[in-house]
């Protein structure tokens, strides 16, 4: 593996794109706001990272570990890496994927069904959606059963990610040990990422959570996949869940012996307690239950939410009562991320809450449907006071209480919250949650947080920034800690200054007092001005060219004038959502179009061109954007194709559930934007913007 190729700006930029489009939502919940700000000036950040790596002056940071409860009662680790560490890890995984691409194709969707690489090789989507490959896995199990393989065993591994040997891993990717210097550096980085402190560093283990690690884990297992392929038995794998099929019981046992030997040769630990050979009675029996993969922790925004009746029906099939317990985790999660607010569903969920801590994320996702509900706060408090031992769950519950509690519930919760605050350093999620609750109590005059923010975990402090009291954004407040802290803290602090419209002057800070990475964030968000004249750059034009392949004729300073910065910020936000959050992208792009068209109307007037109409009514209020585009309007008569494209975009924006739940005319439920719809809208955006650019450019 060549060093220059690994750290190239092209590879680092691809790594960033793949992180942004990754579907590991449970992991990304900790970084969403930071990702948005980083995206706003990503080119500068990537150039800086490349420069540091090239000088071999970059150092990795230890992971911050959180532990999620599992159905067994044990916990699954999640390793939170700094943003730059995520990018470098993904850059390594990119190169692993390139080197192993052809080898992986020999087993993908034949014996291995997890973490299938996307096509083409340089796709910004690193891997295919797990739902599609898991369906293929189930179909293969059925096919094998129908071929007469009616004996089976489920083979599982203990702590698979934690036992991956760095030395063996790199020997798989680079068997000839070419570029040993590069491999030695990667080994050092992996040692750091394998632990949350220097004393715990080992020569094995990869951070669990980033999508990069999911493929690295696949690469490590590849020699075993080849060893067990094309035998008399049938071997199928989904991550570390392995199914062995045979025509006889002994055939399966022989397969298990070979698999166990191969695993132990590589330092992997089979879970003997889960191993059992049994005779299959049906195709459903062959498919078994869902493998132990990360939950589908987020609603697919392209899907239409279900009705209350549908939610009750599916939920009933996923649980048993007396006492209530979940028997089908997939169906339960499916309902939680799609069900509307409903009293009957909520009643059942509140009963399930203390019995299934492993489903805390999906339960909280369902609570998000409700604006106010004291019963939710009381149930969360009861669970906290009962002594639930999982720090991750306690932190999540404190967020729930902070959101739904009235003063009565706050009074009841304070003693427990203070006790948790004393041990919050054990878990960043607990710290984030309990501090959220205490800050909410302080905002209503119940209790102060004292100096706790000073000793807060940097990740937690950055996540808490949106609820900082106003005093923290005055001279001497904790906003200064954010702006001078870790990169994640800097991004959070910059975002809050933009949102609260606070200048560095108010904080008694000068640009030279801040790290360059923080200044980049502040400039990208418009908190400090970019030096446009000195660089001669049109950031709006550059962004439009990158996003939509618009003409490279940069007239946007001239057209937008005083609205340039405002339009740029909206475009930056749209760009950050372009690859994954399609509906949010459309809403922001439509807002950008609104600004552009209003300024274009002014341009048409000054140049005495057709299509102008007043943008303000007689009462001084702005005419609605949609009305400016109406059929038969001056703009529509002068430029019918452009007006039609803009109307199409604006109507689709209004038909998003986030804008209106139902279509105004037909009354049907509005649906979220799909990727293929986005791709159909892009040519319309390009046509509109190119027309405006050409018109402005030909009328100086």
């Amino acid at each position: 593996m060549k060093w220059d190729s690994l750290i190239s700006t092209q590879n680092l930029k691809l790594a960033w794109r793949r992180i942004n489009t990754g579907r590991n939502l449970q992991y990304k919940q900790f970084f969403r706001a930071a990702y948005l700000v980083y995206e706003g000036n990503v080119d500068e950040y990537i150039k800086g990272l490349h420069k540091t790596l090239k000088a071999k002056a970059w150092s990795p940071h230890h992971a911050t570990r959180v532990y999620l409860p599992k159905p067994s009662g044990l916990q699954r680790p999640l390793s939170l890496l700094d943003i730059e560490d995520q990018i470098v890890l993904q850059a390594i995984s990119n190169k692993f994927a390139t080197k192993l691409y052809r080898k992986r194709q020999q087993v993908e969707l034949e014996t291995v069904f997890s973490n299938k690489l996307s096509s083409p090789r340089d796709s910004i989507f690193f891997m295919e959606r797990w739902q599609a490959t898991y369906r293929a896995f189930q179909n293969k199990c059925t096919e094998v059963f129908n071929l007469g393989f009616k004996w089976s065993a489920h083979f599982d591994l203990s702590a698979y990610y934690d036992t991956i040997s760095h030395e063996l891993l790199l020997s798989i990717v680079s068997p000839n040990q070419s570029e040993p210097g590069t491999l030695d550096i990667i080994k050092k980085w992996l040692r750091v990422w394998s632990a949350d402190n220097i004393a715990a560093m080992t020569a094995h283990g990869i951070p669990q959570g980033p999508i990069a690690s999911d493929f690295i884990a696949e690469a490590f297992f590849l020699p075993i996949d080849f060893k067990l392929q094309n035998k008399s038995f049938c071997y199928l794998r989904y991550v570390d869940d392995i199914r062995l099929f045979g025509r006889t019981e002994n055939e399966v046992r022989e397969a298990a012996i070979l698999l166990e030997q191969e695993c132990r040769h590589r330092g992997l630990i089979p879970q003997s307690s889960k191993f059992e050979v049994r005779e299959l009675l049906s195709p459903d029996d062959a498919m078994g239950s869902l493998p132990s993969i990360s939950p589908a922790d987020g609603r697919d925004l392209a899907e239409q939410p279900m009705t209350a009746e549908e939610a009750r029906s599916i939920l009933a099939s996923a649980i048993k009562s007396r006492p209530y317990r979940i028997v089908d985790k997939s169906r339960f999660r499916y309902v939680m991320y799609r069900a509307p607010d409903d009293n009957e569903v909520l009643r059942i969920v509140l009963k399930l809450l203390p019995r299934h801590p492993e489903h805390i994320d999906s339960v909280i996702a369902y609570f998000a449907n409700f604006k106010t509900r004291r019963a939710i706060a009381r149930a969360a408090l009861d669970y906290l006071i009962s002594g639930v031992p999982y720090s991750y769950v306690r932190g999540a519950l404190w967020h729930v209480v902070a959101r739904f509690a009235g003063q009565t519930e706050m009074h009841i919760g304070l003693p427990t919250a203070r006790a948790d605050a004393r041990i919050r350093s054990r878990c960043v999620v607990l710290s984030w949650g309990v501090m959220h609750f205490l800050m909410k109590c302080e905002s209503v005059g119940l209790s102060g947080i004292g100096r706790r923010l000073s000793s807060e975990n940097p990740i937690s402090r950055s996540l808490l920034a949106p609820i900082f009291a106003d005093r923290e954004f005055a001279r001497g407040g904790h906003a200064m800690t954010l702006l001078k802290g870790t990169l994640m803290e800097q991004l959070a602090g910059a975002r809050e200054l933009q949102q609260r419209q606070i200048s560095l002057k108010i904080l008694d800070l000068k640009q030279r007092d801040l790290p360059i990475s923080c200044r980049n964030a502040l400039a990208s968000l418009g908190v400090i001005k970019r030096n446009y004249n000195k660089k001669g750059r049109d950031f709006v034009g550059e962004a439009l060219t990158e996003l939509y392949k618009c003409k490279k004729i940069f007239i946007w300073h001239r057209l937008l004038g005083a609205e340039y910065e405002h339009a740029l910020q909206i475009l930056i936000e749209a760009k950050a959502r372009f690859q994954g959050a399609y509906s949010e992208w459309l809403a922001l792009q439509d807002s950008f179009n609104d600004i552009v068209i209003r300024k274009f109307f002014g341009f048409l007037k000054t140049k005495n061109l057709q299509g102008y109409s007043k943008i303000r009514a007689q009462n001084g209020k702005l005419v609605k954007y949609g009305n400016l585009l109406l059929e038969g309007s001056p703009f529509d008569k002068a430029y019918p194709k452009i007006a039609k494209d803009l109307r199409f975009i604006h109507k689709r924006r209004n038909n998003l559930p986030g804008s209106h739940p139902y279509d105004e005319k037909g009354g049907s439920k509005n649906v979220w934007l799909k990727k293929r719809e986005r791709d159909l809208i892009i040519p319309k955006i390009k046509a509109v913007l190119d027309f405006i650019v050409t018109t402005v450019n030909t009328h100086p």
Side-chain angles (χ1 to χ4, degrees):
M1 186 183 301
K2 294 183 178 179
W3 176 253
D4 288 344
S5 177
L6 172 65
I7 66 162
S8 68
T9 54
Q10 181 181 5
N11 190 35
L12 295 173
K13 187 72 173 285
L14 178 60
W16 169 247
R17 287 283 164 254
R18 287 175 166 175
I19 289 168
N20 244 345
T21 58
R23 299 179 180 95
N24 51 336
L25 303 182
Q26 189 175 45
Y27 189 79
K28 291 171 71 173
Q29 67 175 315
F30 297 97
F31 304 100
R32 285 192 188 106
Y35 285 167
L36 285 173
V37 182
Y38 194 92
E39 175 64 36
N41 209 11
V42 64
D43 290 335
E44 292 300 319
Y45 285 123
I46 293 296
K47 285 178 185 175
L49 177 58
H50 167 73
K51 184 178 179 181
T52 310
L53 285 165
K54 189 170 185 178
K56 297 192 176 177
W58 185 82
S59 298
H61 302 85
H62 290 294
T64 298
R65 286 269 183 95
V66 297
Y67 293 89
L68 286 67
K70 296 167 66 173
S72 64
L74 300 178
Q75 298 179 100
R76 177 171 67 89
L78 206 62
S79 299
L80 307 181
L81 297 179
D82 288 359
I83 290 178
E84 287 191 340
D85 293 79
Q86 292 179 43
I87 294 171
V88 174
L89 177 63
Q90 183 62 52
I92 294 169
S93 198
N94 288 351
K95 290 303 174 184
F96 281 15
T98 299
K99 289 183 74 70
L100 298 176
Y101 189 83
R102 291 190 182 279
K103 285 187 178 180
R104 274 279 295 182
Q105 283 188 316
Q106 298 175 46
V107 297
E108 284 181 342
L109 301 187
E110 290 294 330
T111 56
V112 179
F113 295 83
S114 47
N115 300 313
K116 182 181 183 299
L117 292 169
S118 293
S119 295
R121 295 191 198 187
D122 60 350
S123 170
I124 62 170
F125 296 94
F126 191 37
M127 289 178 290
E128 302 283 354
R129 295 178 68 88
W130 74 265
Q131 291 92 335
T133 57
Y134 180 63
R135 280 194 296 271
F137 174 71
Q138 288 185 311
N139 293 339
K140 189 71 172 183
C141 289
T142 302
E143 177 188 324
V144 166
F145 175 83
N146 291 333
L147 288 173
F149 292 82
K150 297 188 178 180
W151 286 87
S152 177
H154 177 214
F155 192 98
D156 202 2
L157 297 170
S158 295
Y160 174 47
Y161 281 55
D162 292 332
T163 52
I164 290 175
S165 162
H166 303 159
E167 189 74 40
L168 285 176
L169 171 67
L170 294 174
S171 70
I172 293 166
V173 179
S174 184
N176 298 324
Q177 294 292 301
S178 58
E179 297 278 338
T182 301
L183 298 179
D184 287 342
I185 292 173
I186 292 175
K187 270 190 271 190
K188 289 178 183 177
W189 290 347
L190 289 172
R191 281 174 57 83
V192 174
W193 292 328
S194 71
D196 54 9
N197 63 77
I198 192 169
M201 286 168 50
T202 64
H204 55 79
I206 58 175
Q208 196 161 339
I211 58 167
S213 293
D214 294 340
F215 184 75
I216 291 172
E218 296 289 336
F220 188 76
F221 222 88
L222 195 55
I224 302 176
D225 295 331
F226 281 123
K227 195 79 173 181
L228 277 86
Q229 195 177 30
N230 300 322
K231 300 290 184 181
S232 58
F233 55 84
C234 183
Y235 159 85
L236 303 178
R237 181 172 70 80
Y238 199 105
V239 194
D240 59 341
D241 288 271
I242 301 166
R243 308 284 171 87
L244 299 171
F245 295 89
R247 291 184 172 85
T248 66
E249 181 178 358
N250 280 340
E251 201 169 58
V252 175
R253 291 194 181 279
E254 288 173 7
I257 290 169
L258 175 59
L259 176 57
E260 181 185 13
Q261 289 173 345
E262 291 298 323
C263 288
R264 291 193 183 279
H265 286 163
R266 290 165 176 78
L268 303 177
I269 307 168
Q271 265 193 36
S272 57
S273 61
K274 287 190 177 183
F275 182 77
E276 178 188 4
V277 180
R278 62 193 182 94
E279 188 174 11
L280 305 173
L281 303 177
S282 69
D284 287 344
D285 211 14
M287 286 192 293
S289 61
L290 185 74
S292 54
I293 56 179
S294 298
D297 47 1
R299 174 182 293 156
D300 182 347
L301 295 183
E303 288 193 50
Q304 193 166 320
M306 63 179 60
T307 64
E309 292 75 18
E310 291 170 330
R312 291 176 202 159
S313 174
I314 299 174
L315 182 59
S317 68
I319 64 172
K320 286 187 176 180
S321 58
R322 298 180 185 176
Y324 279 110
R325 61 189 178 88
I326 297 167
V327 293
D328 190 326
K329 59 185 179 181
S330 299
R331 282 176 173 264
F332 178 76
R333 286 198 300 255
Y334 182 84
V335 173
M336 289 297 93
Y337 287 110
R338 292 159 182 83
D341 57 326
D342 178 74
N343 288 337
E344 177 61 17
V345 172
L346 179 62
R347 182 186 69 80
I348 296 171
V349 170
L350 292 180
K351 286 183 177 292
L352 290 167
L353 176 63
R355 298 190 181 112
H356 290 279
E358 71 273 19
H359 293 299
I360 187 65
D361 284 332
S362 54
V363 168
I364 288 178
Y366 179 66
F367 290 162
N369 289 303
F370 298 87
K371 292 183 178 178
T372 58
R373 195 59 64 101
R374 301 282 280 276
I376 295 175
R378 288 193 290 271
L381 264 179
D382 289 344
Y383 194 17
L384 282 162
I385 293 169
S386 74
V388 54
Y390 301 105
S391 296
Y392 183 93
V393 176
R394 296 190 72 83
L397 290 170
W398 282 121
H399 286 301
V400 172
V401 180
R403 181 180 172 193
F404 290 103
Q407 290 209 17
T408 300
E409 289 81 18
M410 289 185 189
H411 273 294
I412 294 171
L414 263 175
T416 306
R418 287 171 177 148
D420 273 359
R422 287 192 287 272
I423 61 167
R424 72 188 192 282
S425 61
R426 297 179 185 175
C427 174
V428 67
V429 178
L430 174 61
S431 184
W432 178 22
V434 75
M435 286 297 292
H436 181 188
F437 174 76
L438 291 173
M439 291 166 82
K440 182 70 176 290
C441 290
E442 185 180 59
S443 71
V444 296
L446 287 181
S447 174
I449 60 171
R451 299 181 179 179
R452 288 189 178 101
L453 278 176
S454 299
S455 58
E456 196 62 14
N457 180 289
I459 293 178
S460 174
R461 188 160 45 222
S462 67
L463 292 167
L464 288 166
I467 54 173
F468 273 13
D470 289 342
R471 69 169 183 274
E472 303 298 350
F473 289 88
R475 186 180 304 176
H478 278 96
M480 296 178 68
T481 306
L482 290 172
L483 297 173
K484 295 181 179 181
T486 64
L487 178 58
M488 192 166 167
E489 288 178 288
Q490 293 170 28
L491 299 176
R495 176 79 167 175
E496 284 307 301
L497 261 60
Q498 180 210 34
Q499 296 291 309
R500 301 180 190 223
Q501 298 183 340
I502 294 171
S503 67
L504 292 181
K505 186 176 181 180
I506 292 174
L507 297 175
D508 195 25
L509 282 174
K510 292 182 169 51
Q511 293 185 36
R512 64 172 178 268
D513 298 329
L514 301 173
I516 184 64
S517 52
C518 184
R519 298 203 297 271
N520 283 338
L522 292 168
S524 71
L525 293 170
V527 178
I528 58 179
K529 300 297 182 184
R530 307 176 197 243
N531 194 337
Y532 298 119
N533 295 330
K534 182 178 178 180
K535 293 188 177 181
R537 292 177 64 182
D538 186 335
F539 292 93
V540 169
E542 290 175 12
L544 294 175
T545 299
E546 180 183 349
L547 281 171
Y548 312 125
K549 305 295 186 288
C550 291
K551 291 182 178 180
K552 293 184 178 181
I553 303 174
F554 298 145
I555 51 81
W556 295 101
H557 283 295
R558 179 183 164 203
L559 177 66
L560 295 171
E563 288 296 302
Y564 186 91
E565 191 67 34
H566 182 39
L568 176 60
Q569 299 317 311
I570 293 173
L571 191 58
I572 286 170
E573 299 280 354
K575 181 182 173 186
R577 292 161 173 82
F578 180 75
Q579 300 295 356
Y582 308 128
S583 296
E584 294 177 37
W585 160 78
L586 178 61
L588 289 159
Q589 182 60 48
D590 191 57
S591 294
F592 175 82
N593 294 348
D594 187 341
I595 295 175
V596 168
I597 291 303
R598 292 181 190 279
K599 297 301 289 185
F600 187 59
F601 273 34
F603 174 83
L604 294 175
K605 183 180 180 181
T606 59
K607 299 299 179 182
N608 199 26
L609 297 173
Q610 291 182 324
Y612 167 77
S613 61
K614 292 181 179 179
I615 62 173
R616 288 190 180 274
Q618 289 184 348
N619 60 8
K621 292 184 178 180
L622 287 173
V623 175
K624 289 184 177 180
Y625 173 53
N627 291 342
L628 297 175
L629 309 174
L630 289 174
E631 290 185 57
S633 67
F635 188 70
D636 179 64
K637 289 179 180 178
Y639 315 106
K641 173 66 169 63
I642 299 303
K644 183 180 179 181
D645 285 347
L646 287 167
R647 280 197 302 271
F648 180 90
I649 296 166
H650 186 60
K651 181 180 178 182
R652 187 63 186 93
R653 183 260 181 95
N654 285 335
N655 286 351
L656 295 172
S659 301
H660 303 286
Y662 302 102
D663 181 68
E664 289 182 355
K665 291 184 178 179
S668 60
K669 291 179 183 177
N670 286 331
V671 297
W672 303 100
L673 191 74
K674 300 179 182 179
K675 180 179 182 294
R676 63 176 177 269
E677 286 187 277
R678 183 205 67 178
D679 293 343
L680 290 173
I681 289 171
I682 289 171
K684 299 181 186 296
I685 295 172
K686 181 181 186 313
V688 168
L689 297 175
D690 281 351
F691 163 76
I692 290 172
V693 164
T694 301
T695 304
V696 173
N697 193 51
T698 54
H699 293 84

